[in-house]
Amino acid sequence: MARDPLSRPRRERLSTTSAVRKDPERPSRLRIWLRRRRGLARPLLLGGLGLGAMALLVVAVRAADPLQRLRDLAGAVGAFGEIGEGTGLAVGLVILEGREHTPRDLIVSALGVSRGDPILDFSPEAARRRLETISWVARAEVSRQLPSTILVRIEERRPFAIWQHNGRFAIVDRSGQVMATEHLGQFETLPLLVGAGAETAGAALYDELRRHEAVRDRVQALIRIQERRWNLRLHNGTDVLLPAGNERVALERLAELQQEARLLDRPLAAIDLRLSDRLVLRPSREPEPAEAPAPRDGRTARRG
């Protein structure tokens, strides 16, 4: 006789451990222990949660930009500046490196920060951009060193020459960038460039002059003529006319003439090297007789 499948006995999973029947009315030892220590459970729980949150915060700060994390935290409570003041993160020291000629007041103005200001309110990137607008500053680096220090490093443009144009003088670098127009006395040993365009083209000609020391030492000024060629004004007043675009060959020729005939030491008004196949010399005018110096007591000098 076939057995009805619905009449099969029900299968149940049984625990392999022996079950002990407990009296529901009798509290377990664990419950008694917890009841006795209920007063300590809440502080322990809160302390554990606090330590866990602090650990998560430390990991997050180390994994990303610490300053950005501080900004995010400050923004979450809407009190960025107040947090900086409340935690003592205020500007206490500004360290400046690399300054030689840049006026100090211009640097202070560009930084835009004062002692005691919240350091988290200070933007190093914005300060860097302002510093690089100063004519003396080629590059700048600005950083914060928490809790209270701002570090500023600048790289100045190097003064190359004094540029004279329209009766005004300025200090320029090799690219022609004007760096200063006042207090130029300390730069009097720099080469003198004269005329429109001389500030940007002068470095190339000066580099050629440096190859011929005997010529360079006698040059007082490099004069740009109509922004296309150069004259050299010597200390004795002689003008050397150089050809446009062929200065190297002309200077080599001039150095040879100086070595062979001491040409640059002669009383000449001009030495014209613009023609490659000839040398044109213009003699200077005869000097006029000097007047007799007036005597110190005001009496008329006796002529012999």
Side-chain angles (χ1 to χ4, degrees):
M1 177 177 176
R3 182 178 297 180
D4 186 358
L6 297 179
S7 63
R8 287 182 301 179
R10 182 179 178 184
R11 293 182 179 181
E12 296 181 1
R13 291 186 179 182
L14 300 178
S15 174
T16 57
T17 59
S18 59
V20 179
R21 186 178 179 181
K22 296 182 180 180
D23 184 358
E25 300 296 332
R26 182 179 179 182
S28 65
R29 294 180 180 181
L30 178 60
R31 291 181 179 178
I32 295 174
W33 185 85
L34 290 175
R35 287 176 183 175
R36 290 178 179 176
R37 290 159 177 79
R38 184 175 297 173
L40 297 175
R42 186 180 299 274
L44 289 174
L45 179 61
L46 294 177
L49 292 175
L51 290 176
M54 182 64 70
L56 290 175
L57 178 60
V58 170
V59 171
V61 168
R62 289 182 177 179
D65 181 9
L67 296 178
Q68 185 61 45
R69 289 291 178 179
L70 288 174
R71 297 189 195 100
D72 295 341
L73 292 174
V77 298
F80 181 81
E82 294 177 3
I83 284 183
E85 294 174 352
T87 57
L89 299 178
V91 177
L93 179 65
V94 177
I95 299 176
L96 173 61
E97 298 177 355
R99 187 189 78 87
E100 184 176 358
H101 302 294
T102 308
R104 186 182 298 270
D105 57 341
L106 293 182
I107 295 177
V108 172
S109 177
L111 288 175
V113 68
S114 300
R115 187 174 182 179
D117 290 348
I119 197 169
L120 298 181
D121 279 347
F122 174 74
S123 171
E125 178 61 20
R128 181 194 64 81
R129 291 194 298 266
R130 291 193 297 269
L131 283 169
E132 290 183 352
T133 64
I134 300 175
S135 58
W136 273 106
V137 179
R139 279 174 291 276
E141 296 179 5
V142 184
S143 61
R144 286 177 294 202
Q145 297 183 349
L146 297 182
S148 60
T149 301
I150 295 175
L151 177 60
V152 181
R153 295 187 178 97
I154 64 173
E155 180 182 339
E156 292 185 335
R157 291 186 172 89
R158 298 184 62 181
F160 164 67
I162 301 175
W163 176 42
Q164 177 185 342
H165 182 49
N166 291 335
R168 298 182 179 181
F169 295 86
I171 301 300
V172 297
D173 66 2
R174 290 182 63 89
S175 68
Q177 171 71 41
V178 175
M179 285 123 56
T181 57
E182 298 178 348
H183 310 294
L184 308 185
Q186 59 181 314
F187 305 106
E188 60 184 0
T189 59
L190 294 178
L192 177 61
L193 309 177
V194 181
E199 78 282 16
T200 56
L205 179 60
Y206 187 75
D207 289 344
E208 293 295 334
L209 272 175
R210 291 177 61 184
R211 301 173 61 241
H212 307 288
E213 185 176 346
V215 178
R216 183 199 61 186
D217 292 346
R218 288 166 172 77
V219 173
Q220 180 183 28
L222 286 66
I223 304 173
R224 192 67 169 163
I225 306 298
Q226 298 179 351
E227 299 192 47
R228 56 178 300 270
R229 68 169 196 87
W230 293 95
N231 280 1
L232 303 179
R233 174 66 55 82
L234 305 185
H235 288 290
N236 61 7
T238 301
D239 284 330
V240 179
L241 285 63
L242 300 179
N246 202 19
E247 293 85 2
R248 172 175 293 187
V249 174
L251 289 176
E252 290 176 352
R253 184 182 179 192
L254 187 63
E256 292 175 359
L257 291 170
Q258 172 61 18
Q259 183 176 2
E260 296 172 358
R262 310 291 295 179
L263 181 64
L264 301 181
D265 299 327
R266 296 184 180 184
L268 298 171
I271 302 172
D272 194 341
L273 298 172
R274 288 178 295 175
L275 300 177
S276 60
D277 60 345
R278 70 188 66 180
L279 173 67
V280 179
L281 303 179
R282 255 198 335 253
S284 60
R285 296 172 56 187
E286 291 295 330
E288 297 180 359
E291 296 182 0
R296 293 185 181 182
D297 57 4
R299 291 176 298 178
T300 303
R302 298 178 60 185
R303 297 184 180 181

